[in-house]
Amino acid sequence: MATGTQGRAPRRASVVDVARLAQVSVGTVSNVLNRPDHVASATRDRVLAAIEELQFVRNASARQLRAGTLQSIGVVLLDIANPFFTAVARGIEDRLALDEYTLMLSSSDEKPEREARYLRLFEEHGVQGVMVTPSSAASLETLLVVRERGIDTVLLDATSPLDGLSSVAVDDVRGGALAVEHLVAMGHTRIAFLNGPLGIRQCADRREGVLAALAAAGLDPGEALVELTIPTLNAEGGALGAERLMSRGSDGAPITATFCVNDFTALGALRALRRAGVSIPRDMAVVGYDDVDFAPALMVPLTSVRQPTHKLGFTAADLLLRHRTEGSDYVHQQIQFQPELVVRTSSDPSVVAG
Ligand code: RIB
């Protein structure tokens, strides 16, 4: 019969296990590790033999925490499975490494309660700062509490409404407009928009840009735009949105273009469209957002709104570390980068290169 422990790594020996085997107190084990000259040699040898037998490895972070030398930054992103955030995390890591900080990475999955739990865990681990891509407007309250407790905080991929809270973001309103301006310029007059819940700031801002571009082109959103809200901003959500789009009955002019809220979503939408025999871009032009590494490598290279992902992460980490080193001289900043459109075959058949 399978036991509950099969398939799981054996529990790592603790300092209590070592003390029990050597028949000494935990304090004596700690002395052997940190102040061996304070321990009689016979006792020291017994403890070292127990450490060897149990293959005990002491918790470096606990030791460094006690010595006050561990420097780490907690980061809560929306979804680290999204290649956009993976690239942002690499930017963060490259900046932290310059000052020998470590990185603790987590995903909120756009859930405020999960975000709050990770922030609590980071605080318990004694991080020196946190960077958060807010999962909702409510995040700000949580972050202000964290900051009041003396943990430096920077908003990532979000704009801060407060002077006393630094942030780094990209102009997503402009990004949404770039996507639709391009599709209108390509002659599309009825466009589907696969977007996430408007409680997510990026989704709301991109939609604002979409509406502004349609208005600037003299197109009525009620006619020109078909919005589909998808539950998750990943390939599964994109496939679901495309399947719903294809199963809609005809309700006016044909939809000839689809703007997806990010490349991760576009990946799933492209797969569902191709599976249904839709030719890209002949039957349906597709535009994504982020310009992640896979965008040019797809079977039909994806047109996308590029975000400066590595710079986003690197700059946010730099603000946080400067806040720590400059102290009262530090001036909070709200930095906003601009997106750019990268046109590829998925929306313009004349562009062949990936
Ligand atoms: O998490 C949703 C999106 O917001 C990401 O794909 C990226 O575009 C971020 O800005």
Side-chain angles (χ1 to χ4, degrees):
M1 179 181 80
T3 65
T5 56
Q6 270 188 349
R8 281 209 317 241
R11 182 178 69 83
R12 201 169 72 176
S14 70
V15 68
V16 174
D17 299 323
V18 172
R20 187 175 297 124
L21 181 61
Q23 295 179 326
V24 298
S25 71
V26 169
T28 300
V29 176
S30 177
N31 282 338
V32 168
L33 292 172
N34 298 302
R35 295 178 297 178
D37 52 330
H38 288 211
V39 182
S41 58
T43 305
R44 187 172 60 240
D45 293 348
R46 235 180 34 245
V47 171
L48 291 176
I51 286 173
E52 179 66 28
E53 180 176 338
L54 294 172
Q55 295 185 333
F56 168 71
V57 176
R58 63 174 156 176
N59 183 335
S61 60
R63 184 180 72 250
Q64 289 172 331
L65 263 179
R66 273 196 304 279
T69 58
L70 177 74
Q71 302 195 103
S72 62
I73 301 295
V75 179
V76 188
L77 301 170
L78 291 182
D79 177 5
I80 56 177
N82 179 339
F84 165 82
F85 287 113
T86 313
V88 168
R90 183 56 205 240
I92 296 170
E93 182 189 22
D94 287 348
R95 177 59 188 89
L96 294 183
L98 298 177
D99 292 8
E100 295 184 348
Y101 277 76
T102 57
L103 175 64
M104 298 172 83
L105 204 48
S106 62
S107 300
S108 64
D109 290 347
E110 294 135 16
K111 295 182 175 70
E113 64 281 1
R114 189 178 159 99
E115 173 187 271
R117 193 170 82 243
Y118 273 119
L119 289 172
R120 267 196 315 277
L121 280 173
F122 289 155
E123 196 172 350
E124 287 164 14
H125 277 275
V127 297
Q128 276 64 42
V130 295
M131 302 165 68
V132 182
T133 301
S135 60
S136 74
S139 304
L140 199 56
E141 293 305 316
T142 310
L143 286 167
L144 291 176
V145 169
V146 168
R147 196 184 56 160
E148 291 317 310
R149 290 181 186 153
I151 298 181
D152 297 327
T153 304
V154 169
L155 291 185
L156 178 60
D157 194 25
T159 49
S160 166
L162 304 173
D163 292 342
L165 185 59
S166 295
S167 65
V168 181
V170 176
D171 183 350
D172 283 317
V173 175
R174 181 68 197 130
L178 282 173
V180 169
E181 285 168 5
H182 166 64
L183 290 171
V184 169
M186 294 298 293
H188 300 286
T189 55
R190 196 140 198 256
I191 298 167
F193 180 26
L194 302 190
N195 196 12
L198 297 182
I200 298 173
R201 193 270 319 155
Q202 294 89 330
C203 299
D205 283 3
R206 288 169 204 175
R207 180 176 186 269
E208 186 181 331
V210 165
L211 296 177
L214 291 173
L219 294 172
D220 171 4
E223 295 297 319
L225 190 64
V226 176
E227 295 187 78
L228 292 144
T229 300
I230 53 180
T232 53
L233 303 178
N234 53 22
E236 184 185 354
L240 184 70
E243 282 151 12
R244 282 172 46 201
L245 179 62
M246 290 184 287
S247 63
R248 296 174 82 254
S250 169
D251 61 347
I255 297 168
T256 57
T258 298
F259 170 37
C260 299
V261 70
N262 66 18
D263 291 351
F264 206 6
T265 302
L267 180 68
L270 284 168
R271 196 160 50 203
L273 289 166
R274 267 208 316 281
R275 201 179 288 137
V278 175
S279 169
I280 311 291
R282 190 194 62 205
D283 302 336
M284 179 71 76
V286 175
V287 172
Y289 200 109
D290 293 339
D291 197 30
V292 296
D293 287 348
F294 67 63
L298 293 177
M299 194 186 311
V300 179
L302 179 64
T303 293
S304 188
V305 178
R306 174 177 294 166
Q307 295 204 71
T309 45
H310 187 276
K311 191 161 72 168
L312 199 70
F314 191 97
T315 305
D318 185 58
L319 285 181
L320 187 67
L321 296 185
R322 282 183 32 220
H323 188 187
R324 290 185 51 69
T325 52
E326 295 171 12
S328 57
D329 296 337
Y330 176 78
V331 177
H332 286 283
Q333 298 178 60
Q334 279 70 39
I335 296 176
Q336 188 176 66
F337 295 117
Q338 287 304 309
E340 62 173 311
L341 182 72
V342 181
V343 179
R344 299 191 178 99
T345 319
S346 71
S347 67
D348 181 347
S350 69
V351 176
V352 179

